[in-house]
mmCIF file with all atom_site columns, all heavy atoms in Angstrom:
data_model
loop_
_atom_site.group_PDB
_atom_site.id
_atom_site.type_symbol
_atom_site.label_atom_id
_atom_site.label_alt_id
_atom_site.label_comp_id
_atom_site.label_asym_id
_atom_site.label_entity_id
_atom_site.label_seq_id
_atom_site.pdbx_PDB_ins_code
_atom_site.Cartn_x
_atom_site.Cartn_y
_atom_site.Cartn_z
_atom_site.occupancy
_atom_site.B_iso_or_equiv
_atom_site.pdbx_formal_charge
_atom_site.auth_seq_id
_atom_site.auth_comp_id
_atom_site.auth_asym_id
_atom_site.auth_atom_id
_atom_site.pdbx_PDB_model_num
ATOM 1   N N   . ARG A 1 7  ? -87.792 35.798 7.197  1.00 87.00 ? 7  ARG A N   1
ATOM 2   C CA  . ARG A 1 7  ? -87.371 36.629 8.359  1.00 87.00 ? 7  ARG A CA  1
ATOM 3   C C   . ARG A 1 7  ? -86.689 35.780 9.393  1.00 87.00 ? 7  ARG A C   1
ATOM 4   O O   . ARG A 1 7  ? -87.172 34.701 9.788  1.00 87.00 ? 7  ARG A O   1
ATOM 5   C CB  . ARG A 1 7  ? -88.821 37.145 9.038  1.00 87.00 ? 7  ARG A CB  1
ATOM 6   C CG  . ARG A 1 7  ? -88.458 38.075 10.158 1.00 87.00 ? 7  ARG A CG  1
ATOM 7   C CD  . ARG A 1 7  ? -89.820 38.707 10.614 1.00 87.00 ? 7  ARG A CD  1
ATOM 8   N NE  . ARG A 1 7  ? -90.721 37.553 10.967 1.00 87.00 ? 7  ARG A NE  1
ATOM 9   C CZ  . ARG A 1 7  ? -90.935 36.960 12.242 1.00 87.00 ? 7  ARG A CZ  1
ATOM 10  N NH1 . ARG A 1 7  ? -90.150 37.453 13.266 1.00 87.00 ? 7  ARG A NH1 1
ATOM 11  N NH2 . ARG A 1 7  ? -91.843 36.090 12.407 1.00 87.00 ? 7  ARG A NH2 1
ATOM 12  N N   . PRO A 1 8  ? -85.404 36.166 9.848  1.00 90.00 ? 8  PRO A N   1
ATOM 13  C CA  . PRO A 1 8  ? -84.699 35.376 10.672 1.00 90.00 ? 8  PRO A CA  1
ATOM 14  C C   . PRO A 1 8  ? -85.462 35.360 12.115 1.00 90.00 ? 8  PRO A C   1
ATOM 15  O O   . PRO A 1 8  ? -86.115 36.369 12.469 1.00 90.00 ? 8  PRO A O   1
ATOM 16  C CB  . PRO A 1 8  ? -83.294 36.018 10.798 1.00 90.00 ? 8  PRO A CB  1
ATOM 17  C CG  . PRO A 1 8  ? -83.621 37.418 10.265 1.00 90.00 ? 8  PRO A CG  1
ATOM 18  C CD  . PRO A 1 8  ? -84.781 37.294 9.316  1.00 90.00 ? 8  PRO A CD  1
ATOM 19  N N   . HIS A 1 10 ? -85.337 35.067 16.440 1.00 92.00 ? 10 HIS A N   1
ATOM 20  C CA  . HIS A 1 10 ? -84.650 35.395 17.716 1.00 92.00 ? 10 HIS A CA  1
ATOM 21  C C   . HIS A 1 10 ? -83.338 36.245 17.430 1.00 92.00 ? 10 HIS A C   1
ATOM 22  O O   . HIS A 1 10 ? -83.562 37.395 16.977 1.00 92.00 ? 10 HIS A O   1
ATOM 23  C CB  . HIS A 1 10 ? -84.305 34.063 18.439 1.00 92.00 ? 10 HIS A CB  1
ATOM 24  C CG  . HIS A 1 10 ? -85.393 33.121 18.508 1.00 92.00 ? 10 HIS A CG  1
ATOM 25  N ND1 . HIS A 1 10 ? -86.549 33.515 19.352 1.00 92.00 ? 10 HIS A ND1 1
ATOM 26  C CD2 . HIS A 1 10 ? -85.738 31.954 18.009 1.00 92.00 ? 10 HIS A CD2 1
ATOM 27  C CE1 . HIS A 1 10 ? -87.493 32.584 19.298 1.00 92.00 ? 10 HIS A CE1 1
ATOM 28  N NE2 . HIS A 1 10 ? -87.087 31.636 18.499 1.00 92.00 ? 10 HIS A NE2 1
ATOM 29  N N   . ARG A 1 12 ? -80.812 35.885 15.332 1.00 94.00 ? 12 ARG A N   1
ATOM 30  C CA  . ARG A 1 12 ? -80.222 35.658 14.118 1.00 94.00 ? 12 ARG A CA  1
ATOM 31  C C   . ARG A 1 12 ? -80.236 36.844 13.170 1.00 94.00 ? 12 ARG A C   1
ATOM 32  O O   . ARG A 1 12 ? -81.228 37.593 13.161 1.00 94.00 ? 12 ARG A O   1
ATOM 33  C CB  . ARG A 1 12 ? -80.617 34.432 13.460 1.00 94.00 ? 12 ARG A CB  1
ATOM 34  C CG  . ARG A 1 12 ? -80.196 33.171 14.256 1.00 94.00 ? 12 ARG A CG  1
ATOM 35  C CD  . ARG A 1 12 ? -80.663 31.923 13.557 1.00 94.00 ? 12 ARG A CD  1
ATOM 36  N NE  . ARG A 1 12 ? -80.147 30.765 14.083 1.00 94.00 ? 12 ARG A NE  1
ATOM 37  C CZ  . ARG A 1 12 ? -80.542 30.207 15.213 1.00 94.00 ? 12 ARG A CZ  1
ATOM 38  N NH1 . ARG A 1 12 ? -81.532 30.787 15.908 1.00 94.00 ? 12 ARG A NH1 1
ATOM 39  N NH2 . ARG A 1 12 ? -79.987 29.163 15.885 1.00 94.00 ? 12 ARG A NH2 1
ATOM 40  N N   . VAL A 1 13 ? -79.279 36.971 12.279 1.00 94.00 ? 13 VAL A N   1
ATOM 41  C CA  . VAL A 1 13 ? -79.231 38.094 11.268 1.00 94.00 ? 13 VAL A CA  1
ATOM 42  C C   . VAL A 1 13 ? -79.011 37.453 9.855  1.00 94.00 ? 13 VAL A C   1
ATOM 43  O O   . VAL A 1 13 ? -78.259 36.362 9.829  1.00 94.00 ? 13 VAL A O   1
ATOM 44  C CB  . VAL A 1 13 ? -78.274 39.202 11.549 1.00 94.00 ? 13 VAL A CB  1
ATOM 45  C CG1 . VAL A 1 13 ? -78.667 39.935 12.838 1.00 94.00 ? 13 VAL A CG1 1
ATOM 46  C CG2 . VAL A 1 13 ? -76.856 38.680 11.629 1.00 94.00 ? 13 VAL A CG2 1
ATOM 47  N N   . VAL A 1 14 ? -79.423 38.024 8.840  1.00 94.00 ? 14 VAL A N   1
ATOM 48  C CA  . VAL A 1 14 ? -79.203 37.648 7.495  1.00 94.00 ? 14 VAL A CA  1
ATOM 49  C C   . VAL A 1 14 ? -78.136 38.744 6.935  1.00 94.00 ? 14 VAL A C   1
ATOM 50  O O   . VAL A 1 14 ? -78.396 39.793 7.038  1.00 94.00 ? 14 VAL A O   1
ATOM 51  C CB  . VAL A 1 14 ? -80.367 37.508 6.582  1.00 94.00 ? 14 VAL A CB  1
ATOM 52  C CG1 . VAL A 1 14 ? -80.091 37.172 5.170  1.00 94.00 ? 14 VAL A CG1 1
ATOM 53  C CG2 . VAL A 1 14 ? -81.422 36.680 7.112  1.00 94.00 ? 14 VAL A CG2 1
ATOM 54  N N   . ILE A 1 43 ? -75.966 43.832 6.837  1.00 94.00 ? 43 ILE A N   1
ATOM 55  C CA  . ILE A 1 43 ? -77.090 43.228 7.405  1.00 94.00 ? 43 ILE A CA  1
ATOM 56  C C   . ILE A 1 43 ? -78.284 43.445 6.498  1.00 94.00 ? 43 ILE A C   1
ATOM 57  O O   . ILE A 1 43 ? -78.611 44.527 6.177  1.00 94.00 ? 43 ILE A O   1
ATOM 58  C CB  . ILE A 1 43 ? -77.332 43.612 8.763  1.00 94.00 ? 43 ILE A CB  1
ATOM 59  C CG1 . ILE A 1 43 ? -76.176 43.274 9.814  1.00 94.00 ? 43 ILE A CG1 1
ATOM 60  C CG2 . ILE A 1 43 ? -78.625 42.973 9.335  1.00 94.00 ? 43 ILE A CG2 1
ATOM 61  C CD1 . ILE A 1 43 ? -76.405 43.812 11.167 1.00 94.00 ? 43 ILE A CD1 1
ATOM 62  N N   . ILE A 1 44 ? -78.979 42.300 6.076  1.00 93.00 ? 44 ILE A N   1
ATOM 63  C CA  . ILE A 1 44 ? -80.246 42.475 5.217  1.00 93.00 ? 44 ILE A CA  1
ATOM 64  C C   . ILE A 1 44 ? -81.405 42.469 6.082  1.00 93.00 ? 44 ILE A C   1
ATOM 65  O O   . ILE A 1 44 ? -82.366 43.119 5.772  1.00 93.00 ? 44 ILE A O   1
ATOM 66  C CB  . ILE A 1 44 ? -80.222 41.299 4.207  1.00 93.00 ? 44 ILE A CB  1
ATOM 67  C CG1 . ILE A 1 44 ? -78.851 41.318 3.375  1.00 93.00 ? 44 ILE A CG1 1
ATOM 68  C CG2 . ILE A 1 44 ? -81.373 41.431 3.309  1.00 93.00 ? 44 ILE A CG2 1
ATOM 69  C CD1 . ILE A 1 44 ? -78.729 42.570 2.612  1.00 93.00 ? 44 ILE A CD1 1
ATOM 70  N N   . ALA A 1 45 ? -81.414 41.582 7.045  1.00 93.00 ? 45 ALA A N   1
ATOM 71  C CA  . ALA A 1 45 ? -82.633 41.391 7.972  1.00 93.00 ? 45 ALA A CA  1
ATOM 72  C C   . ALA A 1 45 ? -82.182 40.943 9.330  1.00 93.00 ? 45 ALA A C   1
ATOM 73  O O   . ALA A 1 45 ? -81.091 40.317 9.464  1.00 93.00 ? 45 ALA A O   1
ATOM 74  C CB  . ALA A 1 45 ? -83.551 40.357 7.376  1.00 93.00 ? 45 ALA A CB  1
ATOM 75  N N   . VAL A 1 46 ? -82.912 41.273 10.371 1.00 94.00 ? 46 VAL A N   1
ATOM 76  C CA  . VAL A 1 46 ? -82.614 40.814 11.681 1.00 94.00 ? 46 VAL A CA  1
ATOM 77  C C   . VAL A 1 46 ? -83.892 40.271 12.453 1.00 94.00 ? 46 VAL A C   1
ATOM 78  O O   . VAL A 1 46 ? -84.985 40.549 12.011 1.00 94.00 ? 46 VAL A O   1
ATOM 79  C CB  . VAL A 1 46 ? -82.150 42.096 12.605 1.00 94.00 ? 46 VAL A CB  1
ATOM 80  C CG1 . VAL A 1 46 ? -80.872 42.690 12.109 1.00 94.00 ? 46 VAL A CG1 1
ATOM 81  C CG2 . VAL A 1 46 ? -83.246 43.159 12.756 1.00 94.00 ? 46 VAL A CG2 1
ATOM 82  N N   . GLY A 1 47 ? -83.591 39.266 13.319 1.00 93.00 ? 47 GLY A N   1
ATOM 83  C CA  . GLY A 1 47 ? -84.667 38.737 14.067 1.00 93.00 ? 47 GLY A CA  1
ATOM 84  C C   . GLY A 1 47 ? -85.132 39.682 15.135 1.00 93.00 ? 47 GLY A C   1
ATOM 85  O O   . GLY A 1 47 ? -84.631 40.822 15.281 1.00 93.00 ? 47 GLY A O   1
ATOM 86  N N   . SER A 1 48 ? -86.098 39.246 15.871 1.00 91.00 ? 48 SER A N   1
ATOM 87  C CA  . SER A 1 48 ? -86.740 40.027 16.885 1.00 91.00 ? 48 SER A CA  1
ATOM 88  C C   . SER A 1 48 ? -85.853 40.252 18.143 1.00 91.00 ? 48 SER A C   1
ATOM 89  O O   . SER A 1 48 ? -86.065 41.064 18.865 1.00 91.00 ? 48 SER A O   1
ATOM 90  C CB  . SER A 1 48 ? -88.158 39.465 17.242 1.00 91.00 ? 48 SER A CB  1
ATOM 91  O OG  . SER A 1 48 ? -88.010 38.227 17.701 1.00 91.00 ? 48 SER A OG  1
ATOM 92  N N   . LEU A 1 60 ? -81.796 43.577 19.104 1.00 90.00 ? 60 LEU A N   1
ATOM 93  C CA  . LEU A 1 60 ? -80.418 43.355 18.664 1.00 90.00 ? 60 LEU A CA  1
ATOM 94  C C   . LEU A 1 60 ? -79.808 44.750 18.442 1.00 90.00 ? 60 LEU A C   1
ATOM 95  O O   . LEU A 1 60 ? -80.412 45.722 18.181 1.00 90.00 ? 60 LEU A O   1
ATOM 96  C CB  . LEU A 1 60 ? -80.451 42.621 17.389 1.00 90.00 ? 60 LEU A CB  1
ATOM 97  C CG  . LEU A 1 60 ? -81.008 41.139 17.371 1.00 90.00 ? 60 LEU A CG  1
ATOM 98  C CD1 . LEU A 1 60 ? -80.987 40.491 16.078 1.00 90.00 ? 60 LEU A CD1 1
ATOM 99  C CD2 . LEU A 1 60 ? -80.379 40.317 18.474 1.00 90.00 ? 60 LEU A CD2 1
ATOM 100 N N   . GLY A 1 62 ? -77.412 45.349 15.957 1.00 89.00 ? 62 GLY A N   1
ATOM 101 C CA  . GLY A 1 62 ? -77.395 45.666 14.536 1.00 89.00 ? 62 GLY A CA  1
ATOM 102 C C   . GLY A 1 62 ? -78.719 45.825 13.991 1.00 89.00 ? 62 GLY A C   1
ATOM 103 O O   . GLY A 1 62 ? -79.839 45.322 14.485 1.00 89.00 ? 62 GLY A O   1
ATOM 104 N N   . LYS A 1 63 ? -78.833 46.546 12.887 1.00 92.00 ? 63 LYS A N   1
ATOM 105 C CA  . LYS A 1 63 ? -80.151 46.794 12.166 1.00 92.00 ? 63 LYS A CA  1
ATOM 106 C C   . LYS A 1 63 ? -79.804 46.510 10.658 1.00 92.00 ? 63 LYS A C   1
ATOM 107 O O   . LYS A 1 63 ? -78.636 46.642 10.191 1.00 92.00 ? 63 LYS A O   1
ATOM 108 C CB  . LYS A 1 63 ? -80.718 48.037 12.427 1.00 92.00 ? 63 LYS A CB  1
ATOM 109 C CG  . LYS A 1 63 ? -79.870 49.191 12.114 1.00 92.00 ? 63 LYS A CG  1
ATOM 110 C CD  . LYS A 1 63 ? -80.546 50.509 12.577 1.00 92.00 ? 63 LYS A CD  1
ATOM 111 C CE  . LYS A 1 63 ? -79.748 51.746 12.222 1.00 92.00 ? 63 LYS A CE  1
ATOM 112 N NZ  . LYS A 1 63 ? -78.299 51.731 12.512 1.00 92.00 ? 63 LYS A NZ  1
ATOM 113 N N   . ALA A 1 64 ? -80.844 46.390 9.900  1.00 91.00 ? 64 ALA A N   1
ATOM 114 C CA  . ALA A 1 64 ? -80.775 46.228 8.297  1.00 91.00 ? 64 ALA A CA  1
ATOM 115 C C   . ALA A 1 64 ? -80.054 47.426 7.809  1.00 91.00 ? 64 ALA A C   1
ATOM 116 O O   . ALA A 1 64 ? -80.395 48.647 8.184  1.00 91.00 ? 64 ALA A O   1
ATOM 117 C CB  . ALA A 1 64 ? -82.154 46.084 7.723  1.00 91.00 ? 64 ALA A CB  1
#
Side-chain angles (χ1 to χ4, degrees):
R7 182 177 54 91
H10 308 297
R12 289 183 172 78
V13 296
V14 179
I43 296 177
I44 303 302
V46 297
S48 57
L60 300 180
K63 61 186 179 311

